[in-house]
Amino acid sequence: MDLRTIRVFGITARVALLLCGMSGTAAGEEVCETALVSNLPPSSFRSSSQLSSSHAPGFAKLNRRDGAGGWSPLRSDRYQWLEVDLGERTQITAVATQGRYGSSDWLTSYQLMFSDTGHNWKQYRQEDSIGSFPGNSNADSVVQYKLQQPAVARFLRLIPLDWNPAGRIGLRLEAYGCPYTSDVVSFDDGSSLTYRPGPAARRGSKLITSLKFKTLRNSGTLLHAEGQDGSGLRLELERGKLRLLLREGTSSSSEPHQLTSLGSLLDDQHWHHMVLRQKNSQLNLTVDKHTEMVQIPEEFNHWDVKLLIVGASQNSADPRKNFQGCLENLMFNSINLTELAKSNDQQVSIKGNVTFSCAEPVSVAVTFPGPRSFLQLPWTTPSTSGATSVGFQFRTWNKAGLLLTFDLPGQGGEVWLYLLDARLHLQIQNGGRMLLELSAGSALNDGQWHMVDLTSRRGRLTVSVDKQEGGVAHASPSFPVSVSNQIFFGGCPAEDHNQECRNRHSTFHGCMRLLTLDNQPVDLIMVQQRLLGNYSQLQIDMCGIIDRCSPSHCEHGGLCSQTWTVFHCNCSDSGYSGATCHSSVYEQSCEAYKHNGNTSGYFYIDVDGSGPIKPQPVYCNMTDENTWMVVQHNNTELTKVRPPSGENQHLVHFDYMSEEEQLLAIIHQSEHCQQELSYHCRKSRLLNTQEGSPFSWWLGGPGLGLVQTYWGGAHPGSQQCACGLQGDCVDPQLFCNCDADRMEWSEDSGFISHKESLPVRSLVLGDVWRPGSEAAYRVGSLQCHGDKNFWNAAFFDQETSYLHFPTFHGELSADVSFLFKTTASFGVFLENLGIKDFIRIELSSSTRVVFSFDVGNGPLEVAAESSYPLNDDRWHRVRAERNVKEASLRLDELPVATQEAPADGHIHLQLNSQLFIGGTASRQRGFRGCIRALQLNGVTLDLEERAKITPGVRPGCPGHCSSYGSLCQNQGRCVERAAGFHCDCGLSAYTGVFCQTEVSAIFKSGTSVSYTFKEPDELSRNGSDVPSSIYSDPVPRGENVSLSFRTTQSPALLLHVSSHFNEYLALLINRHDELELRYKLDSSRDAEVLRSSMRGLANGLLHTVAIRRSADSVSMQIDNNARDDFNLSFAGQLSSLRSLVLGRVQDSDALDPDLVRLGALGLTGCLSVVQYNSISPLKAALLHPDTSPIVVLGPLVRSNCGSSASANPYSAENTHHLSDQSGSVGSGQPLVNAMKTDSALIGGVIAVVIFVIVTVFAITARFLYRRKETYRSREVKAAKQEESQDFHYNNQTDARNVSGENSKEFFM
């Protein structure tokens, strides 16, 4: 691995508080459950108010009956609180509540707050999201809640949220825990602590540093560790995040680079726990409950730390880069550095003002959490100098919101200071007329504290944000700007009858602090006590901001953004979708794309769905019965060996377009994989030597690969080539052709199909240095077919049958996808239970699928309704997902049904029972039918293996044509396979995987395709395996004729069918450019002529013709125009058919004179998908000329001229190429351009290549036309081999097989 390449893997774990030795100690208590409140004096209790002296907060002790039996406030609203001072910082593990004795007063829900100082409260949250706790249901019972993570604090505050509606707020409480001791040290701007470990402490490959810190500053160096060679690690705060930086090398001037960052809003003056743990080249950084793992260079495996600087970095001259705040329990490799510093240990040196206590500044903040939050303050400061100033700090995630507003004196107007698009705006209006407007700052919704000053002095108005960083705007209004009598922050009262506050902007959601009016600080504690101003829905003495993007719930590289209440994931360009970018938008294999109706092309494949492996572009070849997934590498060409001078071996390494984990996943999930390995040689031996060791070998398999000493077509470990296995080597005594060491060119080639040996990683060629030795090698692309996951199925034949698997783990994100088919109208597909939580997907009715679950917030369900029956014994697809934001369910291709998750609710899905598939633990409402391709979070469950050992369940599930048969087009017939289906195109004039590829050819004036009908007795004597489209009933009862054509020739004969009795059918374009159909059903009668109503058909455009005759009724339809209907005067039959001719008619003895002339002209143009009843003469001529009763005279060149997209219909060179198969990404269509980089260069190269190809083909066509008799037979055979679906897959990129003779000519 490149030392500069750092692979960072983020993991979020739900962990308990770390060991007491690292975060403080519980003094001798093994179980931290001591009652903390019951023995406290009344002076330790405070409250917002009390109903009477007998309802005082000192009576709020659990199970006590003193006073009125508990605490009750004067008013029952959400602004009340009860506070307990524990006397010192204490570890709190549980809280219990009880109603007021002998009353109807109790709480039903409440919030918990903790603080070290009695200010700057921090709300305790479960699972980082839930801020409320369940209370009581009566006045006497005790409800205890054990904290998931113990809290360490001196002060506890309980805030009632809901209470018994028939009573009022009433409370008795208890807290449980144990004493907490710690060592504290504090730093100011210029102080630091340096520790120089002794030799014993430095030695080893492990490094563990832990501490707690709290600060009000969002930047500063926390730790700096330096090694003997100048390498170092540094932990520093930047914008409230903790960054881990690494410096390599011996130069102290080299700049460190960031390994990772963790945490957010760490400048909130609350304690945060940090652990840095190194073991060899792995480094774990933990902040609070979240851990990041990073890989560091191997030179750090035995890193020798010569010094550790705490609170500053080495040679730091800027005090702003130093840490300012408090540290607790500072440990380095189990050594307490604070104790060493206290004892003046010589290994520790102190710089500046370092103290061993934590003196915390009091900073009272206020939170505006809701849409009706506002703070109203009176303006009592007399303005003797005519100056007015307002100052405050704020932090928010929202781009918009009102910060403050006030009226100017004497109805002079209104002033608004607000955020819009994350910028600060000031507006002054009067009666709807804009008087002044200013703006300053940008990106102010970043969650950081921003200082705002609004000053009006001597006719000059200034608004500034973060003065030190710019963002100042000035104006000189013609009117004085001062506050009339009061000022509003954040919003306005809901009902302001005096109209003193009219908010035309959204309410501010965020925090404010350090409010000043005319440079006088505002006492927010007095506001909280209702002694100053007025407020609504505020949280005073705390900042309740939450960073919902740290850690980010957006998966697979999705970008997280947030507002005050929610977060959003931008999944653009990630390849994933959903609220958290969890589910892949791509299929997992080429097989899946095929069954969506796609044809060959480049597709993005996501082999593990929602798993960690990224999507990758591969080529899907669907021209064969098998669907091949093709992965290219950097050299699939036949390459001549040119060994460097002085070296006896030639080493070649192959780099694949897919990453390692993608390659291995493709190979693992495929039924069969292969890779061509060939060696062309002249006097260059390959494998076998006299002493037995091979001259050459290759490496294949996972990682760098293992040495392999067999060649393509042989068995692993055999040290043979294909000819040795087959016994046909040029020297029978040897096992490879090349080992004969002859001067003539030879070849050893074949496919490597042992999956454990794939892919081929590198080649080592040994016998290439001797004089006269020549060699060439070729390693083809990796090709795999058969998706084991896609067809993994089980059939449940009883309602009580089921399969069970281990517990499903999808705590934060869970997705389930599968296909089912059934004739039942109900049944449970999947169920997994926990103590309270569960997840279930079921068919609740014949048209409804329900996804239900509970993560602790109560059962939720998402339902998908269909307008068609789901019990139709066809495959239907179900995709369900649940994440922290929403749950979704999609049935087939119907719109997605979604259900939002509750705000601030439980988010972890906790299951503990077995996972049941096809049934439930109660064995009720089980599913009867088939379930296929079941995946949970990208992992396929092996239903077939489990079904083999489970009664009532059978592996596999036949009957795919009922679902996929419609994919077979143009009279193609669906044929069942054990795993999938196949389209038989025998009765179709088309070919291709879905019988959708037109069979077209360019006709010249001399081209003639003649099909000879067989007599009935001859047909019965000669059974044949060729497709039924080649032979037909010789006595049809009417005709069905269809074809497509392009031509500019008129008149022109398109098709002629004749019988042994001089009866015929002729289809032609007459001199008026009309389509003309001639019927002669009786040799004694004249031919009847039927003409189309449409003219101008010889216009070079593609036209499709369909003709139907039954007795004397004839219909003719051209393209999508109105059908022409005719009636013949004689309803005969074309009996004893002799031949069908396309193009020029060579045998004109039995033709009418007019047809003789037309037949001699032939056809110059294109014919496509010609079908007469059940035979396809053009398809037989192009694909089966050797096994069909076909005679081809003149040039016949297969083309795509019958395609409506063909740009040049008369170019014989306009054939199918890889680049023709393109479409869109993500919608199940092939990629237009899988590689999006360097598109201009690629386009230029393609243009040049196309120009060269067209030029070469034009010259070749001219030459071949002169040699048309030779060309004729070769061209037909080439077309047959190239396009026949009966041939094995041959990738165009790899179709460069060189014969021994050609190799000899090439390399000589």
Side-chain angles (χ1 to χ4, degrees), residues 670-686:
S670 299
E671 295 283 356
H672 172 82
C673 290
Q674 65 184 34
Q675 197 166 8
E676 184 186 353
L677 183 60
S678 64
Y679 190 67
H680 299 256
C681 56
R682 184 169 72 171
K683 201 171 177 56
S684 177
R685 294 161 294 179
L686 182 58

Side-chain angles (χ1 to χ4, degrees), residues 889-948:
L889 178 65
R890 189 172 191 186
L891 177 62
D892 294 333
E893 299 306 316
L894 297 174
V896 180
T898 60
Q899 173 74 52
E900 288 190 8
D904 295 333
H906 292 275
I907 59 175
H908 291 274
L909 176 65
Q910 299 176 340
L911 307 174
N912 55 20
S913 71
Q914 290 183 320
L915 169 66
F916 288 85
I917 305 299
T920 64
S922 62
R923 299 197 175 190
Q924 297 179 353
R925 291 183 63 84
F927 173 73
R928 288 182 292 115
C930 292
I931 296 178
R932 196 185 97 216
L934 174 61
Q935 290 193 328
L936 285 77
N937 277 352
V939 178
T940 300
L941 299 189
D942 195 341
L943 302 178
E944 294 187 354
E945 283 299 316
R946 190 60 60 94
K948 292 176 182 178

Side-chain angles (χ1 to χ4, degrees), residues 143-166:
V143 176
Q144 179 175 321
Y145 185 85
K146 190 168 185 178
L147 304 184
Q148 294 178 350
Q149 297 89 30
V152 177
R154 174 179 172 178
F155 295 89
L156 177 153
R157 180 176 283 188
L158 188 148
I159 299 177
L161 294 179
D162 295 293
W163 47 90
N164 177 23

Side-chain angles (χ1 to χ4, degrees), residues 999-1009 1043-1054 1069 1097-1103 1142-1144 1161-1168 1170 1178 1182 1195-1203 1206 1208-1212:
V999 181
S1000 311
I1002 294 293
F1003 280 69
K1004 304 296 184 181
S1005 60
T1007 304
S1008 174
V1009 177
L1043 58 84
S1044 297
F1045 67 89
R1046 294 178 187 261
T1047 186
T1048 56
Q1049 174 185 336
S1050 66
L1053 182 63
L1054 302 178
I1069 300 175
L1097 297 175
N1099 56 1
L1101 301 178
L1102 183 67
H1103 298 286
L1142 304 175
R1144 184 171 185 175
L1161 292 176
L1163 172 67
T1164 300
C1166 169
L1167 285 181
S1168 177
V1170 180
L1178 187 58
L1182 293 173
L1196 181 68
V1197 181
R1198 185 172 180 183
S1199 169
N1200 67 346
C1201 60
S1203 169
S1206 177
N1208 187 359
Y1210 301 114
S1211 172

Side-chain angles (χ1 to χ4, degrees), residues 1026-1048:
V1026 296
S1028 56
S1029 59
I1030 295 176
Y1031 297 107
S1032 177
D1033 182 2
V1035 187
R1037 296 172 178 84
E1039 294 83 40
N1040 289 324
V1041 181
S1042 62
L1043 58 84
S1044 297
F1045 67 89
R1046 294 178 187 261
T1047 186
T1048 56

Side-chain angles (χ1 to χ4, degrees), residues 6-71:
I6 305 298
R7 302 179 62 192
V8 180
F9 304 94
I11 60 171
T12 302
R14 299 172 63 223
V15 296
L17 201 67
L18 294 177
L19 295 176
C20 292
M22 297 182 183
S23 60
T25 58
E29 295 286 345
E30 293 183 1
V31 179
C32 191
E33 296 179 353
T34 303
L36 303 174
V37 175
S38 57
N39 294 323
L40 294 175
S43 60
S44 297
F45 296 82
R46 293 177 62 235
S47 65
S48 55
S49 64
Q50 60 188 43
L51 184 60
S52 68
S53 59
S54 59
H55 295 82
F59 297 121
K61 296 182 179 180
L62 200 70
N63 294 321
R64 298 287 184 89
R65 303 181 182 181
D66 303 336
W71 167 71

